[in-house]
Every structure is written in C-alpha cells, then in structure tokens.
Amino acid sequence: MSEIHTEHGHDDHGHGEHAGLDKKKIWQVFGILLLITVIEFIIALWVIPNKHMSHGVGNFIYIALTLLKAYYIVAYFMHLKYEKLGLQLSLTVSFIFIIYFIVLMLIEGGYLHLHMPLV
C-alpha cells in the first residue's frame, strides 16, 4: 500500500502549480506593493496639496493604483493566480457586477435625493 502513495507524489493533488510562489516571488510582489503604496502617499500628501495635479486626476490615479494593489494581493497572496480559469472568471465577473450595482444604487440614490420633494 505504501508504494501506491509514494508513486503519486504531490503533482496529483495540484500542489505542483504553486511551485512558482517561492521566497523570491513573494519579495518581488512585496516590493511592487510597497512601490505602489509609496506612489499613493506621494500623490496624496505632496502632489495634490501642492496643486501639481487636480483632485479628479489624482483620485483617478489613486483608485487605479489601489485596484492594481488589490489585484496583486488577490492573485499572489490569496493564490487566485494559480486557480483554474473558470474560477478566476466567475469571481471576476461577480466582482464587476457587484461594483456595477453599487454604482447604480449610488446614482439612483443621488437622483432621488435631488428630484424628490422633501416630505
């Protein structure tokens, strides 16, 4: 019986896919996250207050950088990058619909607040 378990190894259980996540890759992702955070701090504490960039452009860049950080966290530290494509797509599409519905609710809430008479 022990021969059966030793022949199969770890590859049958899907652990071989995670071999790319070694210490070097973890530190590389950490460095990218640190760099993005430093850029966000520079934008928030120096660029926008000194009027080098408008608030609208600064907020757009800040949101884009935050979404990029979220991608790296979910992809590498939550191991979504190593999952099957079907799971990745289903989670991504669900996330997009949730954001879409939140935006719709905010727009509708603003419309009702502006156009409904106060009772």
Side-chain angles (χ1 to χ4, degrees), residues 23-118:
K23 284 185 180 181
K24 181 181 177 184
K25 188 66 173 177
I26 290 172
W27 282 108
Q28 182 183 13
V29 172
F30 173 76
I32 292 170
L33 292 173
L34 182 65
L35 178 68
I36 293 171
T37 303
V38 167
I39 292 170
E40 287 176 342
F41 270 97
I42 290 171
I43 289 172
L45 298 176
W46 184 73
V47 173
I48 292 177
N50 290 331
K51 307 288 187 212
H52 296 293
M53 183 184 302
S54 70
H55 280 289
V57 173
N59 285 341
F60 179 76
I61 293 173
Y62 192 78
I63 290 170
L65 289 173
T66 302
L67 289 174
L68 185 63
K69 275 187 0 183
Y71 164 76
Y72 272 102
I73 290 168
V74 170
Y76 289 100
F77 294 129
M78 297 176 71
H79 305 285
L80 188 62
K81 183 175 173 68
Y82 304 105
E83 294 294 337
K84 293 187 179 189
L85 183 62
L87 178 63
Q88 290 178 2
L89 290 175
S90 65
L91 291 174
T92 303
V93 169
S94 300
F95 179 73
I96 289 171
F97 275 119
I98 290 170
I99 297 299
Y100 176 70
F101 288 130
I102 289 172
V103 169
L104 282 179
M105 292 297 162
L106 290 172
I107 291 171
E108 287 296 317
Y111 178 82
L112 291 175
H113 178 70
L114 290 175
H115 299 291
M116 294 290 291
L118 296 174

